[in-house]
């Protein structure tokens, strides 16, 4: 019942709010939700706190953009190429880090992401620190570009990606993969004793996560029409994917979506009411909120809903 | 000629390495005793630097004079953060802890930006600011020299505190096993508070020393914080000596690597070395794991 | 040929020799008890067999297959399931989900895995608690859950490391009944136990370790009468009580 209602609301949203700004917020929420859902596969279900997902986001954004700019390749094909590259990167990242546990792993991920960022910043061919402007094509679904003030086509595109990701996670949750992911999160040695090969399943989790993050990367590039290391590859971008998943509820299907709605909602609301971005008041509130949640509501919004439900019954 | 440039690079790297080492020792102490990586450690350093800057800008105090103030302010900050935040999540999953300190880092960074604008600020004409020592064709900046000396001194004091005093032993016992330490009659709560105070004081000192030759801006903590966490992982979690040694190594790699490959890649070189090390030794250089 | 054959196994931790030239075997269908004082090397031997440690010397054969260098998941896939001395249940998952993880090893489909898991839960008596979070269970139930989880992998050999430590007499008796029932299903059992009253009557054979070395092997009666065993471990205690 609830998913149906959610779907109806999500589909009707741009019809009800036809102004560019609310539609833009809708796009932001779906895009961030997609990244958080992807992060949740490794971080939430498998328990591997990977803080380097910008690698995949960046590969997605840069691959399609550079292919389009330099070779005129259609962004959809660029997106496909990006996901393949991202999954290869996930294998490499996984193989070099899967022996590491706990903080060693987290820091190794941060290191990887910073290395990739440094390489892009210093390579002129990749746009360097300046970034890449995506060439304008005719507006059409085939070209993955929609101009003008109506953001609805972008909204429906990203909503479709998000729905696919949620469906995949829903299926994974109920299958061998999902059980093995959670077993690895709970106790890696215990899982091994039951015949689970942690390296293999962590790798699968990484690849799934990389795939969706990469798709979000291509979408971001096609939506904003400009990418640079600061907006695509910086550490805070990695952190925010993780924060949304944790805030919403780790290892739950809908948690990352709720987290994205809450964080984007709050940051947009503070930005609009408190004015200019340079002031960073939105980020201050966001930071505070994260602390408050970590201390008082570590199971996130989903946990809060669960408690409310229990109280009603 | 090239030899002199290389020698210069090595000297600079070494001196900077001591500062990294001091920052990392603070982080390592908190991790070792209180079992949590403070991902806002870099932002603590940023606040240490701002403290020194404002003491200079408002009261004309030289950063070297205001060192006790920077140290005190940061120690207090550490205690507050422990009492208000991390104490409540001691037994929470690691991710919750990471989450909380990330939130803190975002908060502090944006708070600094809100209060003091994103502009970068630099202390002019501090006492040691323009002095330098010539050694053959190699120059050693006095601020860097003083910073390195301060870092070494601080490390000596912490090392003495941990290894030679009753309090230090109690702290290490707490680090080893909190419950066992509590059974032995150690006030573990006090030990945690102390670790946060001393660990944060380290960046107060480092921040004060850095301002004599480094400008401060709200985002300065990102690089220093990441570097510090890489340093302690490289040294091996829980090893204060490992953190200090790794700090020096990282300083050297950064400058020498930057010299050989290009300054823009200096950070990347450090991170690559780190990845290679943990690929071979997942527990870091001196870690027991 | 025995089901499990350990020959001249040596495992060191730095200077400490935790298992010193241990040779022992377990036959198909048997219940073998592994006993010895604290620190004798029982858990270490378990871990070497289960693939957690790589022994420095010696050989482990399982159904004729050399498994000395196997890792834990390979050992389990080969048919060796084990429980842990310090329980390692998946605390944040329900009892049923814990067992599902085990039953997926040899299941073709999700439905298969579920059916197998429910079957095992009924067999071990945990069925009424199947929706509890594992963290909410008593220590006795946690140990039983580990057993259930291991059984769900359909093992040939089940290794139990102190499955009864910390249980009260009633819980102990229930565990003994459960182990006997497992054995009747045709599963071979190798178990470490400190509670002598429990292990002596249940075991077909006993292997005794002391300071890493095997000092005796044989039928429970013979072993408990062995002077060296009495000196090393049992002291007057067991003999006096029996
Ligand atoms: N991972 C390890 N590293 C170093 N030493 C170890 C390790 N595991 C066990 N030991 C040592 O090896 C020896 C044998 O330990 P083991 O756990 O096998 O004994 P045990 O017979 O199972 O004892 P208990 O009855 O207390 O469970 C002990 O001295 C122990 O301290
Ligand atoms: Mg044992």
């Amino acid at each position: 019942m609830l998913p149906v209602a959610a779907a109806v609301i999500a589909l009707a949203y741009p019809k009800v709010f036809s102004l560019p700004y609310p539609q833009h917020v809708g796009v932001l929420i779906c895009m961030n939700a997609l990244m958080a859902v992807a992060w949740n596969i490794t971080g939430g279900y498998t328990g591997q706190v990977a803080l380097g997902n910008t690698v995949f986001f960046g590969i997605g954004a840069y691959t399609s953009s550079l292919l389009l700019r330099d070779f005129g390749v259609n962004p959809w094909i660029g997106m496909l190429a990006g996901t393949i590259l991202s999954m290869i990167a996930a294998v490499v990242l996984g193989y070099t880090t899967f022996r590491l546990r706990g903080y060693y792993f987290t820091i190794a991920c941060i290191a990887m992401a910073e290395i990739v960022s440094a390489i892009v910043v210093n390579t002129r061919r990749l746009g360097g620190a300046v970034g890449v402007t995506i060439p304008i094509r005719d507006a059409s679904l085939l070209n993955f570009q929609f101009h003008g003030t109506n953001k609805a086509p972008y909204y429906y595109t990203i909503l479709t990606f998000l729905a696919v990701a949620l469906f995949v996670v829903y299926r994974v949750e109920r299958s061998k993969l999902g059980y093995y992911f959670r077993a690895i999160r709970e106790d890696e040695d215990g899982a091994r004793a039951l015949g689970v090969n942690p390296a293999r399943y962590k790798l699968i989790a990484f690849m799934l996560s990389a795939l969706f993050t990469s798709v979000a990367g291509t979408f971001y590039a096609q939506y904003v029409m400009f990418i640079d290391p600061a907006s695509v590859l910086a550490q805070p971008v990695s952190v925010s994917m993780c924060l949304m998943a944790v805030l919403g509820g780790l290892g739950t299907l809908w948690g990352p979506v709720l987290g994205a709605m809450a964080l984007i909602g709050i940051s947009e609301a503070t930005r609009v009411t408190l004015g200019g971005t340079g002031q960073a008041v939105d980020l201050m509130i966001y930071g505070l909120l994260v602390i408050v949640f970590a201390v008082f509501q570590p199971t996130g919004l989903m946990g809060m809903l669960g408690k409310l439900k229990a109280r009603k019954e | 000629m090239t030899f002199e440039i290389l020698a210069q690079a090595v000297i600079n790297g070494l001196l900077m390495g001591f500062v990294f080492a001091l920052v990392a020792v603070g982080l390592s102490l908190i991790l070792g005793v209180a079992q949590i990586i403070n991902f806002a450690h870099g932002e603590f350093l940023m606040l240490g630097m701002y403290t020194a800057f404002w003491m200079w800008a408002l009261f004309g105090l030289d950063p070297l004079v205001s060192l006790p103030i920077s140290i005190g302010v940061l120690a207090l900050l550490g205690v507050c953060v422990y009492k208000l935040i991390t104490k409540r999540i001691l037994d929470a999953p690691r991710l919750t802890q990471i989450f909380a300190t990330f939130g803190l880092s975002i908060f502090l960074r944006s708070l600094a930006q809100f209060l003091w604008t994103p502009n970068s600020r630099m202390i002019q004409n501090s006492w040691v600011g323009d002095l330098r020592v010539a050694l053959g064709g190699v120059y050693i900046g006095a601020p860097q020299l003083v910073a390195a000396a301060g870092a070494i001194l601080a490390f000596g004091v912490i090392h003495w505190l941990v290894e030679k005093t009753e309090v230090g032993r109690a702290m290490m016992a707490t680090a080893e096993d909190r419950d066992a330490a509590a059974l032995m009659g150690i006030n573990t709560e006090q030990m945690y508070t102390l670790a946060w105070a001393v660990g944060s004081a380290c960046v107060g000192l480092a921040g004060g020393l850095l301002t004599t030759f480094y400008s401060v801006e709200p985002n300065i903590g990102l690089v220093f914080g990441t570097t510090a966490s890489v340093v302690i992982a490289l040294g091996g979690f829980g090893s204060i000596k490992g953190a200090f040694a790794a700090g020096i190594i990282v300083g050297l790699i950064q400058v020498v690597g930057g010299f050989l490959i290009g300054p823009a890649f200096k950070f990347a070189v450090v991170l690559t070395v780190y990845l290679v090390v943990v690929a071979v030794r997942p527990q870091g250089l001196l870690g027991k794991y | 040929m025995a089901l499990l054959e350990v020959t001249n196994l040596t495992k060191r931790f730095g200077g400490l020799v935790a298992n010193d030239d241990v040779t022992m075997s377990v036959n198909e269908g048997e219940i073998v008890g592994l006993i010895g004082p604290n620190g004798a090397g029982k858990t270490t031997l378990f871990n070497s067999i289960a693939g957690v440690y790589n022994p420095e010397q010696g050989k482990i054969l399982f159904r004729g297959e050399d498994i000395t260098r196997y890792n834990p998941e390979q050992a389990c896939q080969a048919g060796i399931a084990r429980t842990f001395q310090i329980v390692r249940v998946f605390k944040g998952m329900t009892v049923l989900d814990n067992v599902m993880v085990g039953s997926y090893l040899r299941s073709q489909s999700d439905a298969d895995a579920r059916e197998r898991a429910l079957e095992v839960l009924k067999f071990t008596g945990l069925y009424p608690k199947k929706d509890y979070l594992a963290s909410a269970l008593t220590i006795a139930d946690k140990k039983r859950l580990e057993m259930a989880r291991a059984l769900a992998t359909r093992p040939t050999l089940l290794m139990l490391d102190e499955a009864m430590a910390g249980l009260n007499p009633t819980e102990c008796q229930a565990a003994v009944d459960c182990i006997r029932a497992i054995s009747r299903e045709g599963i071979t059992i190798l178990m470490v136990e400190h509670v002598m009253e429990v292990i002596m009557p249940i075991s077909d054979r006993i292997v005794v370790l002391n300071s890493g070395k095997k000092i005796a092997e044989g039928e429970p009666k013979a072993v408990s009468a062995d002077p060296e065993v009495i000196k090393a471990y049992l002291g007057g205690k067991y003999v006096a009580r029996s």
Side-chain angles (χ1 to χ4, degrees):
Chain A
M1 198 57 229
L2 214 61
V4 176
V8 169
I9 294 172
L11 284 171
Y13 179 82
K15 301 282 179 234
V16 178
F17 300 95
S18 54
L19 291 174
Y21 180 69
Q23 289 189 347
H24 168 69
V25 174
V27 171
L28 281 186
I29 288 176
C30 292
M31 187 175 71
N32 281 280
L34 178 60
M35 291 192 262
V37 166
W39 190 87
N40 194 33
I41 300 173
T42 37
Y45 288 101
T46 321
Q48 306 300 307
V49 186
L51 286 173
N53 270 20
T54 44
V55 172
F56 312 131
F57 191 63
I59 290 176
Y62 274 88
T63 306
S64 64
S65 302
L66 291 169
L67 284 178
L68 175 60
R69 189 193 69 178
D70 298 345
F71 305 101
V73 176
N74 181 290
W76 291 101
I77 296 174
M79 183 169 93
L80 191 68
T83 56
I84 292 168
L85 277 182
S86 285
M87 298 214 309
I88 293 172
V91 173
V92 174
L93 193 127
Y95 263 106
T96 27
T97 56
F98 68 60
R99 274 201 324 151
L100 305 177
R101 287 189 181 191
Y103 283 130
Y104 284 103
F105 172 78
T106 304
I107 291 172
C109 289
I110 296 176
M112 296 249 181
E114 292 290 331
I115 291 171
V116 169
S117 170
I119 291 172
V120 173
V121 166
N122 292 293
T123 310
R124 176 126 22 106
R125 197 79 189 74
L126 301 176
V130 182
V132 178
T133 305
I134 285 79
I136 295 177
R137 293 278 184 274
D138 293 339
S140 77
L141 183 61
L142 185 67
N143 282 341
F144 205 146
Q145 282 187 17
F146 314 98
H147 311 304
T149 52
N150 182 16
K151 308 263 183 231
Y154 276 117
Y155 175 85
Y156 285 119
T157 309
I158 190 71
L159 185 65
T160 311
F161 291 147
L162 177 61
V164 170
L166 283 170
F167 179 71
V168 169
V169 172
Y170 173 84
R171 290 307 299 257
V172 165
E173 245 187 2
R174 280 154 187 77
S175 71
K176 179 171 175 171
L177 270 186
Y179 281 91
Y180 278 17
F181 286 172
R182 274 175 286 160
I184 291 168
R185 172 187 73 197
E186 296 286 323
D187 187 336
E188 202 169 319
D189 291 327
R192 298 186 79 176
L194 298 174
V196 179
N197 178 347
R200 180 165 165 204
Y201 287 93
K202 282 185 200 171
L203 216 53
I204 295 176
F206 269 138
M207 289 171 72
L208 272 175
S209 182
L211 188 152
F212 292 124
T213 313
S214 181
V215 167
T218 299
F219 178 86
Y220 175 87
Q222 291 301 118
Y223 181 61
V224 180
M225 302 294 280
F226 171 74
I227 53 173
D228 67 347
S231 56
V232 173
L233 294 169
Q235 199 184 325
V237 180
S238 273
V239 173
S240 95
M241 302 182 201
C242 151
L243 292 188
M244 283 181 289
V246 181
L247 182 69
L250 274 180
T252 61
L253 181 63
W254 293 101
V257 180
L258 283 183
M261 279 161 65
L263 280 190
I264 299 293
I266 288 162
S267 93
E268 288 301 314
T270 45
R271 255 233 313 264
V272 169
T273 50
L274 300 170
T277 35
Q279 299 263 292
V281 179
D282 53 332
L283 283 174
M284 244 159 80
I285 294 176
Y286 172 108
L288 262 185
L289 192 84
V290 167
I291 300 172
V292 167
F293 258 81
V295 173
F296 297 106
Q297 186 58 48
T299 50
L301 291 166
M302 289 297 280
M304 213 151 104
L305 288 181
K307 259 190 245 163
L308 284 179
K309 220 172 169 186
R311 202 169 301 164
K312 250 194 214 153
E313 283 161 12
Chain B
M1 183 59 201
T2 26
F3 170 76
E4 275 166 8
I5 299 178
L6 186 63
Q8 182 76 58
V10 169
I11 297 272
N12 291 349
L14 198 63
L15 294 178
M16 200 57 198
F18 284 111
V19 179
F20 286 146
L22 177 59
V23 176
V25 164
L27 188 59
S28 177
L29 195 67
I30 296 173
L31 172 67
V33 178
Q35 308 297 327
I36 182 169
I37 285 197
N38 177 16
F39 280 99
H41 199 63
E43 278 64 37
F44 279 31
L45 179 78
M46 178 262 300
L47 291 179
M49 292 177 77
Y50 268 114
T51 309
F53 174 82
W54 287 113
M55 285 300 135
W56 171 80
L58 297 176
F59 306 112
L61 288 182
D62 189 88
L64 295 183
V65 176
S66 65
L67 277 181
I69 302 175
S70 316
I71 292 173
V73 167
L74 265 288
L76 191 67
L77 176 72
V79 172
C80 291
V81 165
Y82 170 63
K83 295 274 181 197
L84 292 175
I85 303 173
T86 56
K87 182 183 164 175
R88 300 166 194 269
I89 47 174
L90 279 182
D91 297 314
R94 181 181 296 120
L95 195 58
T96 307
Q97 301 179 340
I98 293 180
F99 188 53
T101 59
F102 264 127
L104 184 62
S105 80
I106 293 172
F107 175 71
L108 294 177
R109 220 183 303 142
S110 38
L111 182 72
Q113 194 174 330
F114 175 69
L115 294 175
W116 307 312
T117 76
N119 300 336
S120 109
R121 298 160 191 268
M122 178 93 196
I123 291 184
Q124 313 295 321
N125 57 42
S126 79
W127 292 352
V128 290
D130 298 325
L131 304 178
R132 56 184 192 171
V133 185
L135 250 180
V138 178
Y139 293 97
I140 306 174
Q144 286 86 344
L145 202 59
V146 170
I152 295 170
L153 200 69
F155 176 68
V157 170
I158 291 174
H159 193 258
W160 169 80
L161 180 83
V162 166
E163 301 273 326
K164 295 275 159 10
T165 67
E166 201 59 36
V167 177
R169 272 191 285 273
M171 217 145 109
M172 285 306 109
T174 311
E176 200 76 36
D177 186 336
R178 172 164 45 133
D179 299 330
L183 283 179
M184 280 155 55
I186 294 171
N187 185 340
T188 54
E189 167 69 16
Q190 246 171 32
M191 293 304 131
Y192 277 57
T193 314
L194 189 65
W196 271 92
V198 176
S200 308
C202 284
V203 283
L205 175 60
L209 292 169
L210 268 176
T211 43
T212 57
F213 62 101
Y214 224 91
S215 58
V216 55
E217 41 120 353
N219 284 326
I220 191 93
L222 273 177
V223 171
F224 274 98
T226 308
T227 307
S229 32
V230 167
V231 167
I232 61 168
L234 184 65
F237 291 147
S239 167
I240 292 176
K241 265 184 259 172
F244 196 72
I248 299 167
I249 294 172
V250 163
L252 275 175
I253 297 174
Q254 201 175 80
V255 178
V256 177
F259 173 73
L260 295 176
I261 302 174
F265 285 102
K266 61 182 187 180
F267 195 39
V269 174
V270 169
L271 298 172
T272 311
V273 170
Y274 163 70
L275 289 176
V276 171
V277 170
V278 289
V280 181
R281 267 184 75 84
Q283 71 277 49
L285 293 173
L286 294 180
K288 279 177 245 129
Y289 205 59
Chain C
M1 188 184 59
L3 179 71
L4 176 76
E5 280 181 85
V6 177
T7 20
N8 306 109
L9 192 93
T10 298
K11 173 68 204 166
R12 297 191 181 87
F13 294 112
L16 186 120
V17 189
N19 285 152
D20 189 354
D21 202 28
V22 175
T23 298
M24 63 161 292
S25 62
V26 178
N27 297 312
E28 189 122 33
E30 266 186 326
I31 299 183
V32 175
L34 181 61
I35 66 171
N38 284 101
K42 306 178 294 288
T43 300
T44 305
L45 182 59
F46 259 44
N47 280 335
S48 293
I49 297 171
V52 177
Y53 297 144
N54 269 334
E56 275 80 23
Q57 277 155 40
K59 209 170 187 175
I60 306 168
L61 292 184
F62 182 67
R63 299 159 110 177
E65 187 182 343
D66 185 350
I67 62 160
T68 320
R69 296 272 166 266
Y70 274 21
N71 60 31
E73 52 269 30
Q74 288 170 318
C76 180
Q77 283 152 11
I80 299 176
R82 59 92 55 97
T83 66
F84 293 91
Q85 182 170 355
I86 300 159
V87 287
R88 309 193 80 130
V89 293
F90 305 130
K91 291 200 200 92
M93 294 164 71
T94 65
V95 168
L96 175 59
D97 286 356
N98 265 270
V99 180
M100 287 285 282
V101 174
S103 66
Y104 265 115
L105 183 70
R106 291 186 221 285
S107 297
Q108 300 310 317
S109 67
D110 297 340
D112 236 26
R114 199 180 157 82
E115 196 180 317
R116 169 75 186 155
L118 291 174
E119 201 179 288
V120 170
L121 284 174
K122 280 177 192 147
F123 180 80
T124 52
L126 279 171
Y127 187 80
K129 295 179 181 155
K130 71 177 171 31
D131 295 322
Y132 285 28
L133 271 189
S135 58
L137 295 180
T138 61
I139 183 75
D141 280 340
K142 278 184 185 148
K143 293 210 164 197
R144 182 159 289 216
L145 175 56
E146 277 212 346
M147 233 191 271
R149 217 169 59 167
L151 276 179
T153 66
R154 301 175 198 253
T156 315
L157 172 68
L158 178 63
M159 302 203 294
L160 306 170
D161 197 349
E162 306 207 5
M164 274 157 273
L167 306 198
N168 68 33
T170 339
E171 293 166 342
C172 244
Q173 190 50 49
V176 167
D177 294 342
C178 187
I179 291 168
R180 285 221 161 92
I182 295 170
S183 177
R184 274 197 299 276
E185 296 281 301
I187 294 169
T188 309
I189 292 170
L190 174 63
M191 59 188 289
V192 167
E193 205 51 66
H194 268 304
V195 191
M196 286 309 128
E197 291 85 344
V198 168
I199 198 154
M200 287 302 178
I202 200 178
S203 304
D204 298 314
R205 265 181 330 117
I206 298 276
V207 173
V208 190
L209 286 184
N210 186 26
S211 315
K213 287 195 182 66
K214 184 177 88 174
I215 57 168
E217 177 175 7
E219 294 193 354
K221 272 224 182 72
V223 166
S224 54
D226 188 314
E228 201 176 345
V229 175
I230 295 172
K231 192 175 85 198
Y233 177 37
L234 300 170
K237 226 164 106 198
Y238 175 73
V239 179
R241 266 201 246 165
S242 66

